[in-house]
């Protein structure tokens, strides 16, 4: 190592920065699915090859982009979702806003986007390789947008080596797609790995049919609704808690089947999971976890959305308050259905 301090070349800077946004195939899928949802898609089809390491494809029937828009979209810090920091203060209502994802993905893969705006006669195909636009040409394609990401980290070998086995990466992707499928029952979401369909939700709008498609009939029929009656909640930072939770006997050994969403955004909140488990008291066998899909509504102006794109963990300023609200809402759902006895000691 020499003591000389030098400026990194732009390509190196770009790849390092991209690694902050894109960690693994699941983070690519998360960004692309969020873009499809922001584009008002009613159908989103996700498929991966070799756990997404060789290929990720997300096709939607959303608003699409014209040629100029798609060229802009892959540049650095370009977004159609906010204009200035005041928009952030007012609270962001889209899942994305940082304008980083497509640029970052394009910097560390071979990226192709085919897109046609609704009502336009023709579409565009744009190909980016390692951050450079290789071509952009008119293309016949359905309305909406299809993004294909091949050879993730082909130009960042250190990063590629760090990826897990394809089966593990595919599971991570499935978890993300499952989360968005459950959070958006009005959108038909499908997931395919190496040509095999893992699930497809009908997009009919009801949560139970989405749960059935994702977890199967048996689990879906063992789930009871958390009624979204805000007035019955204890005081705390949450405006409402709703969703579905399973019968105390329908459990798994993994806590991964407890999913939480804050304003429709899939999060991992360990406090929320603990609160769900707490609500079952002693009815839950040790080291068993229920199926739960819990939606938390908070005032968008009170949560810091300016979080790092890769960070799924949310924190509430009043963590204890939020926790008690979730526990109380889940407990009430279970009590109403006679699935737990009141006064069960907390375990
Ligand atoms: P962000 O989502 O933070 O705005 P992205 O890099 O993910 O940044 O996307 C950049 C822009 O490209 C978006 O603001 C949007 O205008 C456009 N875009 C991306 N994906 C889609 C899509 N699937 N359908 C329509 N427009 C899209
Ligand atoms: Mg985005």
């Amino acid at each position: 190592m020499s003591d000389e301090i030098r400026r990194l070349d732009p390509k190196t800077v770009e790849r390092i920065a991209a690694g902050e946004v894109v960690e693994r195939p699941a983070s690519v899928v998360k960004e692309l699915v969020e873009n499809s949802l922001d584009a008002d898609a009613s159908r989103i089809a996700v498929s991966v090859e070799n756990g997404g390491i060789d290929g990720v494809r997300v096709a939607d029937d959303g608003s699409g982009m014209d040629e100029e828009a798609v060229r802009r979209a892959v540049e650095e810090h370009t977004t159609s979702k906010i204009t200035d920091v005041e928009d952030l203060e007012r609270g962001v209502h889209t899942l994305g806003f940082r304008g980083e994802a497509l640029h970052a993905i394009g910097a560390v893969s071979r990226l192709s986007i085919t897109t046609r705006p609704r009502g336009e006669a023709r579409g565009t195909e744009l190909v980016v390789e390692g951050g450079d636009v290789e071509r952009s040409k008119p293309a016949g394609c359905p309305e909406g947008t299809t993004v294909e990401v091949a050879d993730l980290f082909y130009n960042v070998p250190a990063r590629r080596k760090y990826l897990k086995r394809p089966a593990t990466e595919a599971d991570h992707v499935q978890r993300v797609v499952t989360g968005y499928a459950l959070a958006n029952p009005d959108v038909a979401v499908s997931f395919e790995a190496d040509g095999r369909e893992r699930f497809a939700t009908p997009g009919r709008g009801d949560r139970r049919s989405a749960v059935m498609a994702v977890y199967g009939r048996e689990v879906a029929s063992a789930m009871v609704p958390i009624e979204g009656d805000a007035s019955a909640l204890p005081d705390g930072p949450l405006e409402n808690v709703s969703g579905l939770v399973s019968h105390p006997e329908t459990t798994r050994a993994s806590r991964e089947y407890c999913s939480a969403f804050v304003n429709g955004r899939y999060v991992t909140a360990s406090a929320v999971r603990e609160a769900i488990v707490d609500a079952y008291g002693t009815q839950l066998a040790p080291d068993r976890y229920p199926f739960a899909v819990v939606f938390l509504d908070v005032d968008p102006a009170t949560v810091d959305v300016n979080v790092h794109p890769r960070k799924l963990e949310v924190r509430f300023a009043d963590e204890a308050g939020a926790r008690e609200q979730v526990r109380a809402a889940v407990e009430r759902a279970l009590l109403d259905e006679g699935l737990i006895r009141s006064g069960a000691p907390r375990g």
Side-chain angles (χ1 to χ4, degrees):
M1 199 170 44
S2 88
D3 290 344
E4 188 198 341
I5 299 177
R6 56 200 106 62
R7 187 176 296 276
L8 293 170
D9 71 275
K11 279 284 169 209
T12 306
V13 172
E14 184 175 77
R15 284 176 203 170
I16 292 173
E20 297 289 312
V21 180
V22 182
E23 186 186 24
R24 61 197 324 170
S27 35
V28 171
V29 169
K30 173 178 179 287
E31 294 296 337
L32 298 182
V33 169
E34 288 186 350
N35 281 347
S36 297
L37 289 167
D38 282 344
D40 276 330
S42 60
R43 244 180 336 98
I44 304 176
V46 180
S47 56
V48 294
E49 267 172 67
N50 200 29
I53 302 166
D54 292 348
V56 165
R57 185 173 191 273
V58 176
D60 70 48
D61 64 348
S63 58
M65 288 171 273
D66 62 23
E67 177 167 12
E68 197 193 324
V70 68
R71 279 178 158 277
R72 287 288 288 162
V74 297
E75 288 169 11
E76 218 178 337
H77 308 300
T78 49
T79 180
S80 57
K81 300 171 190 174
I82 60 166
T83 7
D84 51 31
V85 75
E86 272 82 63
D87 283 344
L88 286 183
E89 303 291 322
R90 278 188 286 272
V92 176
H93 294 273
T94 50
L95 295 164
F97 64 88
R98 301 168 63 103
E100 287 179 333
L102 288 181
H103 180 76
I105 294 166
V108 293
S109 73
R110 303 181 218 276
L111 167 70
S112 110
I113 307 177
T114 11
T115 180
R116 178 154 71 96
R118 283 180 191 148
E120 293 283 314
R122 59 157 225 203
T124 307
E125 184 195 2
L126 179 85
V127 175
V128 178
E129 252 187 62
D132 300 317
V133 174
E134 293 293 310
R135 62 174 191 275
S136 157
K137 56 169 206 228
C141 60
E143 284 182 348
T145 302
T146 298
V147 180
E148 289 182 277
V149 179
D151 302 327
L152 186 62
F153 297 135
Y154 79 94
N155 53 1
V156 198
R159 219 44 216 231
R160 197 174 162 102
K161 221 164 44 200
Y162 168 86
L163 295 173
K164 301 278 194 302
R165 291 184 307 128
T168 308
E169 295 296 342
D171 286 348
H172 281 292
V173 173
Q174 180 157 351
R175 209 165 300 137
V176 169
V177 185
T178 297
Y180 282 107
L182 294 175
N184 299 276
D186 52 334
V187 180
V189 179
S190 63
F191 177 57
E192 195 185 282
D194 296 319
R196 229 190 93 238
E197 183 176 280
R198 298 247 182 125
F199 66 78
T201 64
R204 275 201 305 266
D206 64 303
R207 279 175 187 168
R208 196 176 291 278
S209 67
V211 171
M212 182 136 86
V214 166
Y215 291 139
R217 183 175 300 274
E218 195 200 332
V219 170
S221 62
M223 291 183 96
V224 298
I226 305 169
E227 267 8 301
D229 179 4
S231 62
L233 284 183
D235 283 340
L238 307 177
E239 289 178 340
N240 208 354
V241 180
S242 60
L244 293 162
V245 285
S246 72
H247 190 282
E249 257 127 54
T250 305
T251 58
R252 291 290 183 271
S254 159
R255 62 188 94 216
E256 264 154 35
Y257 298 95
C258 289
S259 338
F261 302 84
V262 173
N263 293 354
R265 201 183 281 259
Y266 176 61
V267 298
T268 59
S270 21
V272 174
R273 277 185 181 151
E274 283 162 21
I276 294 168
V277 169
D278 267 359
Y280 286 78
T282 53
Q283 304 290 304
L284 216 53
D287 297 322
R288 298 295 292 185
Y289 298 89
F291 285 82
V293 186
V294 177
F295 300 92
L296 313 180
D297 297 335
V298 299
D299 177 352
T302 67
V303 281
D304 182 12
V305 288
N306 203 5
V307 285
H308 194 279
R310 220 169 64 196
K311 287 218 172 80
L312 289 176
E313 182 78 29
V314 286
R315 296 203 179 284
F316 299 96
D318 177 9
E319 194 89 7
R323 218 180 137 116
E324 178 52 21
Q325 286 180 298
V326 173
R327 195 199 63 77
V330 174
E331 184 182 65
R332 189 166 34 121
L334 296 170
L335 281 172
D336 284 353
E337 297 284 329
L339 298 182
I340 56 169
R341 290 179 302 277
S342 63
R346 287 209 238 152

